[in-house]
């Protein structure tokens, strides 16, 4: 688990992003990628800890892996929505199967397909996608 | 004549004179009663005849009661009916005439009995020899009264004339009680008949032989000439009248035999019906006979006769039976079941050729078996002098089948199997309609026993009415019925066999279908697993690429000079780690492919397991522990002796590595203990165990722990244990896992075991 709170005035304008992926290598490297692109980024490789530490209004967007032990990305998203109704979401997964399965079987069918990103994705494409989602009206 | 005179007259002239005077004197009536002989007399004497005509002319009423016969019919019509009203009365004797005031009765000298002669002879020859005359008032009144009675009992002449002219017999019913008269009547009936039907008790033949042989012969003669329809006779033929019956038969009489004739003996001709209730014994003539020409009686007895005739058997057959000593009743209804039982057993016991049984219910069989019928039948079938064939039709029940088997066994014990199996049992369908037990013996006798109450345990209680028969037609129809049912059971059996075969085929088809379905299911499952495999593989293959791709991206986009040595090392480490993981995964997938295509080749060599395990652990530690920050110790206790095994070194190392990796993955902190040792039980195997202190194996996963993708782990391919098992089994070993007992081990987690056979070659070499 890694959290960083930067308190400079510049940082207020920066977009804040939370990354949750059970692969430590993925969450770590993605945090670096976002930071390098001017985001404020926190990352967790454990969904339960991520949820426990989540506070309303802390982030503009949460980037969630889907297939995780103990709590999958969708359920984590549902729990976070209860705390913060405004936060935007992007799902990151390596398998279409999990994406489809969760959409259909777990009752998240209403979720827009555009909110999904498939691993592996290049840094530039990822940043572009995230910016698009954040700038979208609710 | 003066008043109140009663006189006997002897002088014919006086008689004639007085007769004429009486007729002259009367003004109102002249009533005359006369037999055949007397009738013509008044007409024959000219003076009297004239007086008659005169009186008639004066308007005197003449009433005659006479007997009109064929002989005097013409005379009556031509002469008598012109002057008088006539009525007919059968059997008149004597004569008298009565007027208003006088009475006369005459007798003539002419004793000729020939009616023809009397009426046609010259009138002068007729003289009146004597007469009784009276004018006594009381006498006259008495005679007039007498005449009225006779008049009222007589029938109109017209009717009688028509009867004679048209040949119609007079309708009458009379009782005769005089033996002579009876004999005459019977004889007359025989002689005048056109057809005779007669039905009498056994003694009747003797009676006819004694009294009516001649008229019978005549009738039978004319029957042979086609002038008579013949004599049909129903009687009971027994040893006593057998010879007489033959005699009558030879003479051309048709005779049939029946038993239990009613005591009423009767005969019907085309003319009249005669009957008597007298016993016919010793050929004695009857003392009473009822005679009737009444059509109703005749019709009635005709139909009775015909019915009896149809139900009687030919006398020749009966005589044959008597000759052969078969003395049986034809059909007998037996109301008492106890008597039926005795008869039943008797019949079975005396069977000579064949016994057929039809049982309506299985209970009926059991009852009658208990009663002794079946054992008797078995005895009969086992007789050596004449083999009796026994066939039984009975509704199937287990108890009966057992009983039959028991009987067969018993037969074997008694060593009577040398005979053909003379008892055959076939099972029928139980029918609610079947209510009778049928027994047929030797195709000659049958006993039909009606079932009254099937719930009773004894024959006597269960059986109602029984019917015995030795009537050929009746018995043979039972036989036919039996044969039909018998053949039906064969058909049913064949059908049953066919049905069973069909059922078996169906069963086979069902099994095949189930196998197909299950194969299909397996295929589908396999497909699904294959799909799952691809998905998991895709996920696992893509995941490590992300850090590589992102790291490379970071490195290339960042200001190269700004990158610290530390950051660079971290990046290199991350890329190496994930590339290694990709390599591992690709190797696993390749292994699975080899295993599934059965092309996993082992390069075996003898090596010490101690060394191998130690090396594997070291190797694992180098690769794994350095990239994790978990606080986990790996403890290894080596065996204190060398343990030679013949294995593919790299493959077994792969197994150990997999197990360690597995243990490591599920353990957050604590230690992993690796142990090796000989199997205490057989000393032929070594056991390697890897014990962790993790969260243990999910019970749901245990049954398919070593299958592909069984793991609920979100790390790894889910292929490690599958590959491990395949490798161990390829070496002739086993692999399994148990969850640790917290009480015994003081910690949770699981222990994985695998065995390998100890190399014999090495053992031998060492020794």
């Amino acid at each position: 688990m890694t959290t960083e709170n930067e308190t400079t005035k510049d940082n207020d304008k920066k977009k804040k992003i939370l990354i949750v992926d059970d692969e430590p290598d993925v969450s770590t490297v993605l945090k670096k990628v976002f930071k390098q692109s001017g985001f404020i980024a926190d990352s967790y490789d454990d969904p339960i800890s991520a949820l426990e530490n989540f506070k309303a209004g802390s982030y503009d967007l949460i980037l969630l892996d889907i297939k995780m032990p103990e709590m999958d990305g969708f359920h984590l998203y549902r729990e976070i929505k209860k705390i913060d109704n405004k936060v935007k979401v992007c799902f990151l997964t390596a398998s279409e199967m999990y994406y489809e399965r969760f959409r259909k079987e777990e009752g998240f069918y209403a979720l827009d397909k555009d909110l999904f990103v498939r691993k592996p994705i290049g840094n530039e494409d990822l940043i572009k996608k995230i910016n698009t989602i954040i700038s979208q009206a609710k | 004549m003066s008043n109140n005179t009663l006189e006997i007259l002897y002088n014919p002239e006086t008689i004639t004179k007085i007769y004429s005077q009486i007729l002259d004197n009367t003004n109102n009536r002249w009533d005359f009663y006369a037999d055949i002989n007397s009738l013509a007399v008044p007409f024959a004497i000219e003076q009297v005849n004239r007086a008659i005509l005169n009186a008639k002319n004066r308007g005197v009423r003449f009433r005659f009661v006479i007997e009109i016969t064929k002989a005097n019919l013409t005379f009556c019509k031509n002469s008598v009916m012109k002057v008088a009203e006539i009525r007919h009365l059968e059997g008149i004797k004597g004569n008298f005439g009565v007027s208003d005031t006088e009475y006369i009765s005459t007798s003539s000298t002419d004793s000729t009995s020939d009616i023809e002669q009397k009426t046609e002879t010259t009138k002068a020859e007729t003289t009146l020899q004597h007469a009784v005359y009276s004018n006594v008032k009381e006498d006259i009144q008495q005679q007039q009264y007498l005449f009225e009675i006779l008049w009222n009992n007589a029938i109109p002449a017209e009717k009688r004339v028509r009867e004679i002219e048209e040949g119609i017999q007079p309708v009458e019913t009379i009782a005769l009680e005089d033996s002579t008269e009876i004999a005459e009547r019977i004889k007359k009936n025989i002689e005048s008949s056109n057809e005779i039907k007669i039905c009498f008790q056994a003694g009747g033949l003797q009676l006819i032989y004694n009294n009516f042989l001649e008229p019978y012969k005549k009738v039978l003669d004319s029957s042979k000439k086609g002038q008579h329809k013949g004599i049909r006779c129903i009687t009971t033929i027994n040893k006593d009248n057998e010879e007489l019956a033959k005699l009558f038969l030879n003479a051309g009489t048709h005779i049939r035999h029946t038993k239990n004739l009613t005591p009423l003996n009767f005969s019907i001709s085309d003319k009249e019906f005669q009957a008597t209730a007298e016993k016919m014994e010793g050929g004695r003539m009857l003392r009473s006979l009822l005679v009737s020409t009444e059509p109703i009686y005749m019709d009635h007895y005709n139909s009775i006769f015909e019915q009896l005739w149809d139900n009687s058997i030919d006398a020749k057959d009966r005589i044959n039976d008597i000759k052969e000593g078969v003395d049986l009743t034809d059909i007998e209804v037996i109301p008492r079941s106890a008597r039926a039982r005795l008869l039943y057993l008797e019949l079975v016991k005396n069977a000579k050729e064949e016994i057929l049984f039809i049982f309506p219910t299985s209970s009926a069989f059991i009852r009658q078996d208990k009663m002794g019928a079946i054992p008797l039948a078995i005895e009969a079938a086992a007789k050596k002098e004449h083999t009796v064939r026994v066939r039984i039709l009975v509704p199937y029940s287990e108890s009966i089948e057992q009983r039959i088997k028991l009987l067969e066994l018993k037969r074997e014990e008694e060593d009577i199997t040398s005979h053909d199996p003379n008892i055959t049992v076939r099972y029928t369908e139980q029918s609610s309609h079947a209510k009778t037990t049928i027994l047929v013996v030797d195709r000659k006798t049958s006993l039909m026993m009606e079932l009254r109450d099937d719930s009773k345990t004894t024959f006597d209680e269960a059986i109602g009415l029984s019917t015995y028969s030795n009537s050929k037609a009746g018995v043979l129809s039972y036989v036919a019925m039996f044969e039909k049912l018998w053949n039906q059971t064969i058909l049913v059996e064949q059908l049953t066999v066919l049905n069973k075969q069909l059922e078996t085929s169906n069963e086979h088809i069902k099994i095949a279908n189930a196998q197909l379905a299950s194969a299909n299911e397996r295929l589908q499952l396999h497909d699904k697993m294959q799909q799952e495999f691809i998905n998991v593989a895709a996920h696992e293959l893509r995941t490590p690429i992300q850090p590589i791709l992102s790291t490379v991206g970071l490195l290339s986009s960042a200001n190269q000079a700004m990158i610290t040595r530390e950051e660079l090392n971290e990046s290199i480490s991350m890329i190496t780690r994930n590339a290694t993981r990709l390599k591992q995964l690709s190797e696993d997938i390749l292994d699975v492919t080899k295993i599934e295509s059965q092309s996993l080749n082992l390069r075996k060599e003898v090596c010490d397991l101690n060394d191998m395990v130690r090396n594997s652990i070291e190797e694992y530690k180098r690769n794994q522990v350095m990239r994790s920050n978990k606080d986990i110790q790996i403890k290894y206790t080596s065996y204190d002796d060398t343990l030679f095994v013949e294995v593919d070194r790299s493959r077994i190392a792969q197994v150990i590595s997999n197990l360690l990796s597995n243990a490591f993955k599920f353990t957050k902190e604590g230690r992993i203990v690796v142990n090796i040792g000989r199997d205490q039980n057989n000393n032929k195997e070594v056991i390697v165990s890897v014990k962790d202190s993790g969260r243990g194996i999910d019970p749901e996963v245990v049954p398919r722990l070593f299958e592909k993708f069984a793991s609920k782990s979100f790390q790894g391919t889910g292929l490690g244990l599958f590959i491990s098992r395949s490798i161990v089994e390829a070496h002739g070993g086993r692999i399994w896992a148990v969850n640790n007992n917290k009480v015994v081990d003081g910690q949770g987690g699981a222990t994985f075991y695998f065995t390998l056979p100890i190399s014999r070659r090495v053992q031998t070499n060492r020794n």
Side-chain angles (χ1 to χ4, degrees):
Chain A
M1 185 197 74
T2 312
T3 49
E4 285 179 23
N5 288 316
E6 304 199 12
T7 53
T8 57
K9 281 192 178 177
D10 285 350
N11 288 350
D12 290 347
K13 293 172 193 171
K14 288 182 177 174
K15 298 294 174 190
K16 285 168 277 181
I17 190 159
L18 173 68
I19 303 150
V20 185
D21 194 313
D22 66 318
E23 281 291 334
D25 282 356
V26 175
S27 53
T28 308
V29 82
L30 286 182
K31 190 169 94 175
K32 281 183 186 169
V33 171
F34 279 105
K35 277 184 146 180
Q36 198 185 51
S37 300
F39 285 75
I40 296 172
D42 290 332
S43 73
Y44 291 86
D45 56 13
D46 165 16
I48 303 295
S49 303
L51 180 60
E52 277 168 5
N53 294 310
F54 187 85
K55 287 185 183 71
S58 306
Y59 303 102
D60 294 295
L61 183 138
I62 45 176
L63 179 62
L64 307 177
D65 184 21
I66 294 177
K67 190 190 172 219
M68 294 185 288
E70 281 128 15
M71 183 180 276
D72 65 70
F74 285 111
H75 286 93
L76 177 60
Y77 167 67
R78 192 156 62 187
E79 293 306 310
I80 286 174
K81 277 297 236 188
K82 287 180 192 165
I83 301 164
D84 183 346
N85 194 29
K86 287 176 183 170
V87 72
K88 296 196 166 146
V89 72
C90 180
F91 293 99
L92 193 61
T93 182
S95 163
E96 289 92 342
M97 180 186 77
Y98 295 112
Y99 151 70
E100 279 303 326
R101 182 182 293 176
F102 281 110
R103 260 168 59 100
K104 283 182 184 168
E105 296 175 10
E106 304 289 330
F108 291 94
Y109 207 72
L111 286 173
D112 195 330
K113 228 176 170 179
D114 289 344
L115 300 178
F116 292 86
V117 173
R118 212 196 71 187
K119 285 188 228 177
I121 182 169
N123 295 348
E124 285 171 21
D125 290 342
L126 179 62
I127 300 295
K128 208 171 140 189
K129 180 85 185 176
I130 295 301
N131 279 328
T132 310
I133 295 173
I134 291 174
S135 62
Q136 273 173 351
K138 202 191 171 187
Chain B
M1 285 245 173
S2 58
N3 279 347
N4 296 323
T5 307
L6 173 67
E7 224 176 322
I8 297 171
L9 309 168
Y10 295 98
N11 185 337
E13 280 176 28
T14 314
I15 294 167
T16 301
K17 189 183 158 195
I18 287 175
Y19 213 131
S20 304
Q21 275 177 4
I22 293 167
L23 289 162
D24 288 343
N25 288 343
T26 190
N27 288 318
N28 296 312
R29 62 198 273 174
W30 173 247
D31 294 332
F32 184 50
Y33 168 90
D35 61 21
I36 293 165
N37 297 333
S38 314
L39 176 61
V41 175
F43 298 95
I45 302 165
E46 201 186 336
Q47 198 179 342
V48 177
N49 191 33
R50 204 164 49 239
I52 288 169
L53 293 174
N54 286 341
K56 180 76 190 168
N57 288 340
R58 284 203 310 280
V60 173
R61 187 184 179 196
F62 282 78
R63 292 191 299 173
F64 282 21
V65 171
I66 58 175
E67 183 168 3
I68 306 169
T69 63
K70 243 181 188 170
N72 67 8
L73 181 66
T74 318
F75 173 69
C76 287
K77 278 170 81 177
N78 291 347
S79 310
V80 187
M81 287 176 89
K82 281 180 182 156
V83 292
E85 298 169 42
I86 308 178
R87 285 195 180 177
H88 163 83
L89 202 59
E90 203 87 34
I92 291 172
K93 298 268 195 269
N95 70 80
F96 70 88
V98 62
S99 72
D100 294 345
T101 52
E102 291 162 300
Y103 159 88
I104 191 162
S105 174
T106 63
S107 68
S108 65
T109 51
D110 196 340
S111 60
T112 306
S113 62
D114 195 327
I115 305 295
E116 291 295 319
Q117 228 178 333
K118 178 136 300 183
T119 49
E120 300 301 321
T121 45
T122 53
K123 291 165 186 177
E125 279 174 324
T126 305
T127 50
L128 297 165
Q129 290 302 312
H130 50 86
V132 177
Y133 169 84
S134 174
N135 63 1
V136 179
K137 202 178 171 185
E138 288 73 20
D139 280 347
I140 303 307
Q141 281 174 347
Q142 190 192 322
Q143 289 302 321
Q144 284 173 346
Y145 177 71
L146 180 64
F147 186 85
E148 289 304 325
I149 291 169
L150 292 165
W151 180 258
N152 288 334
N153 280 308
I155 61 164
E158 293 76 16
K159 193 183 170 200
R160 173 62 180 161
V161 168
R162 204 168 56 243
E163 279 172 9
I164 294 169
E165 284 178 345
E166 296 172 8
I168 299 170
Q169 286 287 309
V171 173
E172 60 175 4
T173 302
I174 52 170
L176 303 182
E177 282 171 345
D178 177 80
S179 288
T180 320
E181 211 177 326
I182 288 168
E184 276 303 312
R185 186 75 185 212
I186 292 173
K187 193 179 163 203
K188 192 178 144 195
N189 185 43
I190 295 167
E191 283 170 345
S192 67
S193 72
N194 194 25
E195 177 178 18
I196 292 173
K197 301 166 190 174
I198 187 156
C199 172
F200 46 58
Q201 288 165 38
L205 284 174
Q206 189 67 50
L207 188 142
I208 289 175
Y209 183 77
N210 289 4
N211 301 286
F212 306 106
L213 195 57
E214 284 312 311
Y216 254 71
K217 275 183 180 167
K218 271 190 211 165
V219 165
L220 290 170
D221 280 347
S222 48
S223 165
K224 277 171 199 160
K225 290 174 199 156
Q227 293 160 354
H228 189 277
K229 288 182 184 168
I231 300 166
R232 285 195 286 159
C233 170
I234 301 171
T235 188
T236 304
I237 299 171
N238 52 35
K239 278 178 183 165
D240 297 334
N241 65 3
E242 177 197 356
E243 288 304 317
L244 263 181
K246 276 191 219 167
L247 192 137
F248 275 95
L249 276 172
N250 291 337
T253 315
H254 302 283
I255 307 179
R256 284 196 180 174
H257 159 83
T258 192
K259 218 208 155 183
N260 300 332
L261 276 171
T262 58
L264 189 72
N265 307 286
F266 65 92
S267 85
I268 316 146
S269 69
D270 50 314
K271 308 264 180 334
E272 66 183 39
F273 159 72
Q274 299 176 338
T276 180
E278 262 180 65
K279 283 188 178 173
M280 292 185 164
E281 279 166 354
R284 242 190 352 258
M285 184 34 77
L286 301 170
R287 283 188 297 270
S288 72
L289 186 71
L290 182 79
V291 179
S292 178
T293 53
E294 182 61 62
I296 295 167
Y297 283 143
M298 293 180 65
D299 287 350
H300 179 69
Y301 278 92
N302 252 316
S303 77
I304 287 179
F305 181 88
E306 294 302 339
Q307 270 182 21
L308 278 169
W309 184 258
D310 288 344
N311 288 316
S312 303
I313 61 163
D314 200 303
K316 287 170 200 156
D317 292 342
R318 171 61 180 170
I319 289 164
N320 268 342
D321 283 351
I322 293 171
K323 198 167 77 188
E324 289 169 8
V326 187
D327 189 17
L328 295 165
T329 50
D330 289 307
I331 293 166
E332 191 182 344
V333 174
I334 306 157
R336 279 182 55 238
S337 51
R339 157 135 164 67
R341 171 165 47 88
L342 296 176
L343 180 59
Y344 183 175
L345 296 176
E346 196 65 22
L347 285 171
V348 172
K349 203 187 283 178
N350 293 323
K352 298 221 164 28
E353 289 163 13
E354 185 187 48
I355 305 172
L356 308 177
F357 291 99
I358 303 176
F359 293 100
T361 62
S362 42
S363 314
F365 177 91
I366 293 161
R367 275 193 299 271
Q368 292 168 35
D369 184 21
K370 260 190 225 159
M371 181 185 96
I374 303 296
L376 277 175
I378 291 159
E379 228 171 80
K383 271 181 199 165
K384 284 190 179 162
E385 56 268 38
H386 44 65
T387 44
V388 176
R389 209 173 150 224
V390 180
R391 285 188 286 163
I392 299 171
L393 278 169
V394 61
Y396 177 81
S397 90
E398 271 180 33
S399 54
I400 288 175
E401 196 178 34
Q402 281 170 6
R403 169 70 176 140
I404 302 289
K405 277 183 184 157
L406 204 73
L407 293 176
E408 279 167 0
L409 283 176
K410 208 174 161 199
R411 259 174 11 135
E412 279 168 24
E413 278 171 20
E414 288 171 9
D415 195 30
I416 48 176
T417 40
S418 50
H419 294 285
D420 291 332
N422 280 320
I423 299 182
T424 326
V425 179
R426 288 224 175 114
Y427 299 110
T428 56
E429 302 278 301
Q430 177 103 44
S431 158
S432 55
H433 303 299
K435 291 276 182 238
T436 52
T437 295
I438 296 169
L439 168 77
V440 182
V441 174
D442 296 339
R443 305 202 167 210
K444 279 182 181 157
T445 51
S446 69
L447 186 61
M448 193 190 78
M449 293 151 278
E450 290 177 16
L451 188 57
R452 191 175 53 192
D453 187 349
D454 198 36
S455 67
K456 297 285 196 255
T457 47
T458 69
F459 179 87
D460 289 12
E461 287 174 299
I463 294 297
L465 207 65
S466 299
T467 312
Y468 166 87
S469 171
N470 68 353
S471 136
K472 206 171 177 181
V475 174
L476 287 180
S477 56
Y478 282 131
V479 172
M481 190 171 107
F482 181 91
E483 296 295 352
K484 199 167 179 185
L485 279 171
W486 187 257
N487 289 331
Q488 230 169 45
T489 60
I490 300 178
L491 282 177
V492 167
E493 269 166 31
Q494 286 170 343
L495 266 177
T496 312
V497 170
L498 272 177
N499 273 340
K500 270 189 189 150
Q501 284 172 349
L502 269 176
E503 269 169 32
T504 314
S505 331
N506 275 341
E507 234 14 75
H508 289 164
I509 290 169
K510 266 187 204 161
I511 291 165
N513 274 341
Q515 283 171 343
L516 266 175
S518 128
N520 206 16
E521 222 166 78
R522 279 201 303 272
L523 268 175
Q524 277 180 0
L525 193 66
H526 186 255
D527 255 20
K528 206 177 158 193
M529 283 167 73
Q530 208 62 24
Q531 190 60 42
E532 189 93 7
F533 176 77
I534 290 163
N535 279 314
V536 175
H539 185 270
E540 296 304 306
L541 283 166
R542 282 165 181 161
T543 301
I545 297 170
Q546 186 65 57
I548 296 170
L549 194 64
S550 289
T551 306
V552 173
L554 279 171
L555 288 173
S556 56
S557 66
N559 186 343
Q560 304 278 329
M562 294 281 287
I563 302 168
T564 62
R565 186 77 220 161
E566 196 187 340
E567 281 172 335
L568 192 63
N569 283 343
E570 209 176 288
S571 295
I572 290 166
S573 166
M574 180 173 291
I575 291 165
T576 311
R577 199 161 51 234
N578 283 289
T580 311
R581 192 173 152 190
L582 273 174
K583 173 177 163 276
Q584 180 61 49
L585 188 69
S586 57
E587 276 169 6
D588 273 5
I589 289 170
L590 258 165
D591 281 349
V592 169
T593 315
K594 278 182 188 165
I595 289 162
E596 294 198 328
S597 65
Q598 285 162 347
S599 53
L600 183 74
N601 294 320
L602 300 177
R603 278 181 301 199
K604 289 185 180 177
E605 53 186 316
V606 176
C607 51
D608 182 3
L609 193 62
N610 269 322
D611 293 344
M612 228 173 61
V613 173
R614 193 180 301 111
N615 291 340
S616 298
I617 291 169
E618 290 308 314
E619 174 93 12
Y620 183 77
K621 276 180 178 168
R622 270 199 303 282
N623 291 334
Q624 186 66 26
V625 177
M626 74 172 200
R627 63 177 207 205
S628 170
N629 49 10
K630 282 187 187 172
D631 179 22
I632 296 168
Q633 293 177 321
I634 299 179
K635 194 187 168 207
Y636 171 57
T637 317
S638 67
Y639 196 63
D640 50 11
D641 195 1
T642 48
L643 278 174
F644 285 104
V645 287
E646 195 177 0
V647 295
D648 184 324
R649 203 187 273 269
S650 66
R651 287 297 180 189
I652 294 303
Q654 190 183 348
V655 172
I656 295 165
S657 169
N658 278 338
L659 294 183
L660 287 172
S661 157
N662 214 43
F664 194 83
K665 204 156 54 188
F666 290 101
T667 307
K668 282 181 178 166
E669 53 182 12
R671 58 180 190 171
I672 297 166
V673 180
V674 182
N675 218 332
I676 66 171
R678 281 174 183 266
D679 185 331
Q680 300 301 315
N681 294 327
N682 58 24
N683 214 19
K684 284 176 183 170
E685 287 179 321
V686 287
I687 301 176
V688 180
S689 61
V690 179
K691 183 176 185 176
D692 66 49
S693 56
R695 56 184 154 114
I697 308 160
D698 186 330
E700 276 182 42
V701 180
V702 170
R704 43 191 184 90
L705 189 61
F706 293 93
E707 289 173 20
K708 282 186 290 182
F709 312 119
S711 173
K712 273 196 166 178
S713 156
F714 282 78
Q715 292 171 326
T717 58
L719 298 170
L721 289 179
F722 171 75
I723 293 166
S724 300
R725 185 188 69 178
S726 302
I727 292 167
V728 169
E729 286 177 357
H731 283 88
R734 295 168 288 127
I735 188 165
W736 71 98
V738 292
N739 276 324
N740 300 330
N741 185 325
K742 274 185 184 163
V743 179
V744 176
D745 301 299
Q747 58 177 39
T751 307
F752 281 75
Y753 301 87
F754 72 91
T755 67
L756 290 169
I758 294 169
S759 171
R760 282 181 197 172
R761 208 169 63 198
V762 176
Q763 277 180 322
T764 318
N765 289 348
R766 280 178 74 214
N767 295 339

